[in-house]
Amino acid sequence: MRHRIDLRADPVDVARPGSTATGLTMVRKFKTFLQSDAGAVTVDWVVLTASVVAMAAISFFEIRDNADNMDNAAGDRLGQEITVLYPAD
């Protein structure tokens, strides 16, 4: 025996606007929306990708600033060594 799906409108859906039945339909649809997890994986990937990009940007700026500081410190130390090794007469 084959089962048929009834595609006719639910009697609650065709209730008069403003009636309690229409409100119940909206509540039912809202509950269905909250229980649905379609698109949840997409949201997870968007959040994950945004956090990876943010961490990469923060890391880039921290590494750049520290590299500049290290470069300046190395240059200053080399300048001191040059003056010790080759003093001005």
Side-chain angles (χ1 to χ4, degrees):
M1 180 171 152
R2 297 176 69 176
H3 296 285
R4 295 189 68 189
I5 299 173
D6 188 11
L7 299 176
R8 291 177 289 172
D10 187 15
V12 176
D13 289 338
V14 293
R16 290 186 309 266
S19 69
T20 311
T22 304
L24 291 175
T25 302
M26 290 301 293
V27 170
R28 189 180 321 131
K29 287 181 181 181
F30 185 67
K31 284 182 181 179
T32 303
F33 171 75
L34 290 178
Q35 292 172 351
S36 173
D37 61 354
V41 173
T42 302
V43 173
D44 290 345
W45 276 106
V46 168
V47 171
L48 180 66
T49 304
S51 62
V52 167
V53 169
M55 292 301 289
I58 291 169
S59 299
F60 169 76
F61 289 114
E62 285 298 317
I63 291 170
R64 183 191 65 178
D65 293 343
N66 288 331
D68 287 341
N69 292 338
M70 188 183 296
D71 184 36
N72 292 335
D76 292 343
R77 185 67 181 143
L78 282 173
Q80 291 172 358
E81 287 296 320
I82 288 175
T83 56
V84 169
L85 292 174
Y86 304 105
D89 291 331

